[in-house]
Amino acid sequence: MVLICLLLAGAELPLQPPGFPELTEEFNQWQEYHPLLRPDISYEQPAFWRTHNLGPFEDTSLIPYAIFIPYYTDIWPRGDTSFGQVNYYDARLPDEGRPFDQNVVMVRWFVHTELEPGLLIESYLLADPNMELTARNVAYERGDPQLLTIDDYEGCRKRVLWWSCSADASFHITGSVTYYLVVTHSRDFHITCLTTSYEFHDERLSPEVEEQLGNEPRISSWPDSISELERAVEQSFRVKG
C-alpha cells in the first residue's frame, strides 16, 4: 500500500507574515510536511490513489452514503459503488472571495480492509493525496486520534492545521483540516474537511495594478468554519445499505 507518512525535518520554517494566525495550546508547533511514499505488497491499489483513474459517477443515487453539509451544494462525484470520491464545495465561496478549491469536504470510500497489525492508525487517517499538493507545513492536534462513533460505526478523527507558502515567501495561505476514518463491514470511508482562514499576498505586480492596489501587502482572513463541517460529518453522515 502506498501510504503518506509525516516526518520531522530540520529545515527552517518560513517567517510568518503580519496577521498570521497564532497556534493554540491544542496543537503542536509547526513542522515541515514531508510525504513519504511507502509501497506495500499487501496494499497495492488503495482507493486514495485510484480516484484519478475513476470515471464520473453517472447515477449519484448509488453513492453508498448520505451526508448533509449546509451550503455545500456543488459536488464532484467519481467512481463506482466499490471505490470512489465525492468533493463538496461551498456554493457561497466565490461571493465571499475565499479560494474555491481550498474549502472542500472530500469523502472517499473503498472496500473494507483490515488494518495491518502494528501499523499506526495515523498512517491510514492521514493518507490524503491532496495534502502534499497544498501544505508545506503542518501542526498536529496533540495526542492520539480521537475515537468516536459515527452512524453507529467505529471511527476516528484527527485535526491538523496546514500552512503553504511560495518559495519567495510572497504568498502564504493557511487553514484547518480534519480527517475521519469510518470503518464498516463492507466499506471504509475516509473523510477530509478542509478550510482556508488566511491569505497573504505581497507579489510584485504590474505598475498599473500596483498603482491601483497600492504597495501594501494584501491580507484576507475569514472565520474558520471547520467546526461547522465537523458537525455535519459527525451528525449527518449515514452509510447506505
Side-chain angles (χ1 to χ4, degrees), residues 76-98:
W76 180 86
R78 300 183 73 84
D80 53 39
T81 55
S82 297
F83 296 90
Q85 173 176 332
V86 179
N87 291 4
Y88 298 84
Y89 298 98
D90 190 339
R92 302 169 300 172
L93 295 179
D95 294 334
E96 295 181 357
R98 204 181 296 206

Side-chain angles (χ1 to χ4, degrees), residues 37-96:
L37 307 184
R38 196 201 79 171
D40 188 312
I41 297 176
S42 301
Y43 303 94
E44 293 181 349
Q45 291 187 330
F48 301 122
W49 297 91
R50 288 189 55 192
T51 52
H52 66 285
N53 294 323
L54 299 176
F57 213 120
E58 301 295 343
D59 184 358
T60 56
S61 67
L62 296 177
I63 292 175
Y65 68 89
I67 191 171
F68 173 71
I69 312 171
Y71 307 110
Y72 277 60
T73 57
D74 295 334
I75 70 170
W76 180 86
R78 300 183 73 84
D80 53 39
T81 55
S82 297
F83 296 90
Q85 173 176 332
V86 179
N87 291 4
Y88 298 84
Y89 298 98
D90 190 339
R92 302 169 300 172
L93 295 179
D95 294 334
E96 295 181 357

